[in-house]
Amino acid sequence: MPGEMILLTENMDLTPVTSRQIKSWTRKDPILSRVMNYVLQGWPESIADDDLRPYFTRKLELSLHDGCLLWGNRVVVPTPGQETIIQELYEGHPGVTRMKMLAHSYIWWPNMDSELENKVKTCHECQVNRHVPAEAPLHPWEWPEKPWSRVHIDYAGPLHGKMFLVCVDAHSKYMEVQVVNSATSATTIEKFRTVFATHGIPDTIVSDNGTPFTSEEFESFINRNGIRHIRVSPYQPSSNGLAERAVQTFN
């Protein structure tokens, strides 16, 4: 018996389904007890029982260790332990691909993949998350050669009934904060006039897709001042990392 198989069955005593339970269930199961006898005494040339067919097609890879059936290096889990195993694999809603990957490393029973797929299909949370695009790797921003060339902006708050327009210079990491009563496009434009009068008009501003930064009024103001406006993906607000970190620090 290969060492990794012995280690696998011994370590099952640390899991929700133990090797002792597997051994007991296998002995009492009408199908698995027959499979166990065939493994020990030899298989017939053919099998008519459909319940035995999944094991018959794997007969050359089946073995027995300490009363537990193994298919290759995977433990054959009897029916009483299958739901517990599925729940353990399902912890944290990892998705069907991750669940199958984990299961294929350690365990097996007939129709296991179908049962794992059905578990995910009947879970509302898994179906919602399934349609959320995977997060793509973020590409670092180039460092501007001069101050106030690219400015990252965001709103922080509310705090004590106020909102805070946060502007971060990508060159120096200098942070400018303007206090406002509400985060509207009109208020944002008013505060930008003050900021631009002090520091100059930037070449580029980077924002998320918040309402104050996506209105026609705001875009018109940006275009009139010859500013390039980069809006980060709605699924990747962390692309605006400078402003995001500033907001977290400010809060």
Side-chain angles (χ1 to χ4, degrees), residues 46-215:
S46 61
I47 289 288
D49 192 331
D50 288 340
D51 290 332
L52 286 170
R53 198 171 302 280
Y55 303 95
F56 182 76
T57 58
R58 294 168 173 82
K59 62 183 179 181
L60 297 179
E61 294 89 35
L62 290 172
S63 61
L64 194 65
H65 174 67
D66 194 25
C68 297
L69 279 168
L70 301 175
W71 174 42
N73 62 351
R74 295 161 64 177
V75 177
V76 179
V77 181
T79 301
Q82 291 171 9
E83 182 59 30
T84 301
I85 292 289
I86 290 176
Q87 290 297 336
E88 184 73 9
L89 291 170
Y90 190 61
E91 184 72 24
H93 304 271
V96 69
T97 301
R98 176 67 175 165
M99 288 176 69
K100 284 184 179 180
M101 183 179 69
L102 290 171
H104 291 176
S105 298
Y106 303 106
I107 57 173
W108 176 81
W109 64 81
N111 301 317
M112 181 184 73
D113 282 2
S114 297
E115 292 178 28
L116 294 177
E117 291 169 4
N118 187 60
K119 180 69 174 179
V120 174
K121 287 178 182 178
T122 55
C123 172
H124 174 71
E125 182 175 342
C126 287
Q127 292 308 302
V128 170
N129 291 336
R130 177 172 174 264
H131 297 290
V132 176
E135 185 170 328
L138 301 179
H139 298 283
W141 292 95
E142 292 184 4
W143 183 66
E145 294 182 356
K146 60 181 181 178
W148 210 252
S149 173
R150 188 180 73 241
V151 178
H152 293 247
I153 62 175
D154 200 359
Y155 268 104
L159 183 64
H160 303 305
K162 301 291 185 179
M163 295 294 291
F164 302 85
L165 176 61
V166 179
C167 309
V168 183
D169 172 31
H171 175 88
S172 64
K173 306 302 186 291
Y174 167 78
M175 181 170 64
E176 174 86 18
V177 179
Q178 294 287 320
V179 183
V180 299
N181 291 321
S182 59
T184 65
S185 294
T187 303
T188 304
I189 292 170
E190 178 187 346
K191 292 301 180 181
F192 270 157
R193 288 195 175 106
T194 301
V195 172
F196 293 169
T198 303
H199 301 287
I201 297 176
D203 299 319
T204 304
I205 62 170
V206 181
S207 76
D208 61 15
N209 285 270
T211 303
F213 309 129
T214 57
S215 69

Side-chain angles (χ1 to χ4, degrees), residues 225-244:
N225 284 278
I227 302 171
R228 180 189 179 200
H229 185 192
I230 299 175
R231 290 187 288 184
V232 301
S233 165
Y235 296 108
Q236 288 191 344
S238 55
S239 298
N240 193 17
L242 276 178
E244 289 286 321

